[in-house]
Amino acid sequence: MKKKATVAEEPVEMAPSEEEEEEEDSEAPVKAKRSKPDEEVVYQPVKLSRSDLYRPPTAEELSQLKETESLFHCSLLKMQMEELLREVALSEHRRQQIDSFTQTVTELLQAVPDSPEVEVSDLSWLSGAVKIPFLLMPKVTKGKFHMAPPASVDLIGSYPLGTCTKPRIVVDLAVTIPADVLHPKDILNQRYPRKRALYLAGLAQYLASSSDIGAMRYSCLHGNRLRPVLLLTPPDSSSFTVRVHACPPPGFFKPSRFHPQRNNIRTEWYTGLQTSQSDSSEPPTPHYNSSVLGDLLPRAHLQFLSAVSSQCSAFAKGVALLKVWLRQRELDQGTGCFNGFLASMLLAYLLTTHRISNTMTAYQLLRNSLNFLASADLTVNGISLAKDPDSTAPPLAEFHSAFQVVFVDPSGHLNMCADMTACTYKQLQHEASVSMQFWDNPSVDGFHSLLMTPKPMIRTSDHVFQLCELVKLQSSCKKLNLLSELMDHSGNYVHAALPFILSLLQQGLGQRVHLLTHSLSPDPEWSVESEAPKHKAQPPLAFGLLLRQELAASVLERGPPADSPKAAEFRQLWGSRSELRRFQDSAITEAVLWDGESMCQKRLVPKQIVTHLLRLHADIPESCVRYVGAMVDDVIKTGSEVPSTGEEVSLLVVQAYDDLSRKLWKLEGLPLSITAVQGAHPALRYTQVFPPQPLKMDYSFFDKEKTSRSLVPKEGKPCPTYITPITMICHMEGSGKWPHDRLAIRHIRAAFHINLGELLKKQHNYTCRPCPTHLDVWKDGLAFRIQVAYHREPQVLRESVNAEGLLVVRDNEEAQALEMATIHKPLLTSTLHGLQQEHPCFGSVCRLVKRWLGAQLFSADITEDTADLLVASLFLQPAPFTSPGSPQVGFLRFLHLLSSFDWRNNPLIVNLNNQLTGK
């Protein structure tokens, strides 16, 4: 599959290419002196006279300064956006190349020879080397066809409008099919789309003999198989592509024939079976109608956009920024995408309805566009660019009855979002809303988050699954009785079944998901010498789930009461999994109980829902559903009977720690009271890869040593299990009785360890082993290591008396190590424990990350605390994403952070508890 170019993959090119050097050097603010091509460029400062250096700012400069102050966090953001716009704009040299090649193509196209008239189904006039870019299903349709030179060849789309941007440069060329090739009734039964494809094949056959044309390939406009296009590249370069569209003459077909409720595909012709249906009872074909109507209007759309852009100087730059934003979110290409044409139309709508001003800058146009997208729901309230539609134009309600998203063009007849699903638009809304949330946050690098960070589905969605064998969707269409949808989509069973699958999953997942997304089928490309690819040849269809953490892992799906009218719908949705249950509140309702004893299993409840619904309603077996989230959990599983990834063991450790902490607070008989008890071990913040498991000692394996009463393994018995001590810091209150000598403080601490051990043994019967530096306590099969701390001890370690008898305070490693162990690590542990309470998957992400670091032999370079802080940054500053909701998405973002962050030049700031302000 061809790799999709993104701005982030090819960031701002600081070194100009040869073709752009002349243009860029002329605009450079400094003089570059170059002696040889291989030598490094030496920049010399521009010398200004004193009068130029200190001259007062002009009115334009004052206006720019005021704009920068009011609109941007800092002048750097303004410069970054200006640099990005220069980077994506076409150079003059590239424009000359495009103009020259399009002129050559135009001259060649105008010389296409005539051919004799044949039946549409007769392909004998085509040479064997060139194929028709169309799936002929059904095989035969009525009509005559012959080749003739195009009536006109015109530039359309973004290039003449000035909104064409790098890196994917596509120039659209509209070739008008002569009127005598077409017939007014060609709108019926795919006659026009087939003639359109035949005309493109004829053009390809003629151009194949020309040395002025490089590679030739077929593709489909935004994945629509009814709208094939011919892709041409120059013989000496592949930096841009000319996309040839075959269009009918303007006004050749009546727009009223393409209303959403009209039928233009007859059931009898499509199925080959005799039916008793009249034309009035035929099902509507709104998607087919919009595909044909879209070919009638490109020139009118270009005229409309040109008129709008001429009144707004920043229109082209605003569209360029919006296209970059869409590209980074993978929303600008594929079937049902929000492409650059729709971005231009959206800005035109905002300008013509006076929601934004013609004097706004590109930055303001982008901001207002995203604000509109975040707030306007086109799935409920569609919008129209038609100011004065003619009387034959259908109302918005008619569009809503046929399409999920409604955005009507200036003619009032075409829904430009006809192929877009409601889920794609909800994703667009969500992305715009998230962008607006972090835009004004001074602690977030808005430019990189907004425009330079790619957001693929695998790093955006918490759960991702794929439908691998798309041919199975044929049986889904049959089971769901989607014949009319198949006719509407010309046999494309993937696009016909997709809306129903999305609706089914949305209904089943319900409140568990905040957002359901799906991949956009890429535009297929194939050689002009190959047959058009089958529908099953496209990549697997991917779905993404953005989870609601508080509901996603629930194993119980509670339905309506048994006597409710909705109970039948609930049983029909869930099938045999639905059963009557009585709850503690005495209610008897329908309910579905999913498998899930451990957190590992509960995390995959959405997988159980997805596979069950697809198998029950769409005849898609579980083997065809590849669920990405299920693979990652195997890496951190513990060896228990119930599949577990360690959350339950960590919870047992924390519960034992909390109980011991409470008992320490309540100890009676201590000479000084305890001021704080804090954990200082990764297991107490749920981030230990393999948390300590409670052990039950078999004392028959040991002998007791007489003096210290320690357990010594017997000869011939297995080696005992290693027991990880869990560190706790116990702070004692300050008092004038504490000595000021470092050695004396250590002795006092040792005495406290002995005292604590005696009291815990006496009051709670715990097995304790005091040492000079700590006290080990055996509780619930776990070993807790308690260290007594005195808050002034680090200061005492820094103090010394010099030869003159003066007190000197000097920092040293011993004081730093003690301060780290008794103050900073406990504080970090308690803070990250709070983060785990807020984000339940934080600990799992940390454990997965540490497992990976250990496997790569990086554990000695990146400590446990460092790894935990790196993962914490993903949750505290997730922009442009939302906080991770599953272990695998957090792990993938961690890998991306390691690989893409500029560690050499920028610090990574982890703002715990929002203690750091913007300044």
Side-chain angles (χ1 to χ4, degrees), residues 164 196 202 292 327 371 536 656 698 891:
C164 186
R196 183 187 194 279
V292 178
R327 185 183 305 130
N371 187 50
K536 64 181 180 181
D698 188 346
F891 174 61

Side-chain angles (χ1 to χ4, degrees), residues 81 307 327 337 673 717 748 761:
M81 287 207 172
R327 185 183 305 130
C337 64
S673 62
K717 294 293 185 180
I748 295 293
K761 175 66 176 176

Side-chain angles (χ1 to χ4, degrees), residues 209-389:
S209 60
S210 173
S211 60
D212 294 326
I213 305 297
M216 283 196 304
R217 297 178 68 79
Y218 288 132
S219 184
C220 295
L221 188 63
H222 309 312
N224 190 338
R225 293 301 186 93
L226 290 173
R227 304 181 72 182
V229 290
L230 179 61
L231 306 180
L232 309 176
T233 55
D236 55 347
S237 173
S238 59
S239 57
F240 65 91
T241 302
V242 171
R243 187 164 57 187
V244 179
H245 306 251
C247 303
F252 188 82
F253 299 124
K254 292 181 179 180
S256 59
R257 294 292 303 270
F258 303 102
H259 284 189
Q261 299 302 322
R262 296 292 293 268
N263 171 275
N264 287 307
I265 300 288
R266 302 295 187 249
T267 305
E268 183 176 332
W269 171 82
Y270 185 81
T271 61
L273 303 174
Q274 292 289 334
T275 63
S276 57
Q277 283 183 317
S278 63
D279 290 352
S280 59
S281 62
E282 291 277 2
T285 54
H287 291 89
Y288 173 83
N289 297 349
S290 65
S291 297
V292 178
L293 185 58
D295 282 346
L296 279 171
L297 300 169
R299 296 175 182 83
H301 290 160
L302 177 61
Q303 292 174 358
F304 171 76
L305 290 173
S306 298
V308 173
S309 63
S310 64
Q311 299 174 3
C312 179
S313 59
F315 182 85
K317 291 182 177 179
V319 172
L321 289 178
L322 194 52
K323 287 169 75 172
V324 171
W325 182 84
L326 290 165
R327 185 183 305 130
Q328 298 294 35
R329 284 144 185 83
E330 297 185 349
L331 289 167
D332 67 322
Q333 292 183 43
T335 307
C337 64
F338 198 91
N339 51 56
F341 167 69
L342 286 175
S344 302
M345 283 295 190
L346 176 66
L347 273 183
Y349 172 78
L350 296 177
L351 285 166
T352 54
T353 55
H354 307 293
R355 295 172 185 262
I356 56 178
S357 168
N358 290 328
T359 59
M360 285 185 174
T361 62
Y363 169 90
Q364 292 171 309
L365 293 179
L366 174 64
R367 184 184 178 98
N368 282 277
S369 300
L370 296 184
N371 187 50
F372 175 79
L373 287 173
S375 58
D377 189 355
L378 302 191
T379 63
V380 178
N381 299 309
I383 56 176
S384 175
L385 277 162
K387 286 186 177 180
D388 300 308

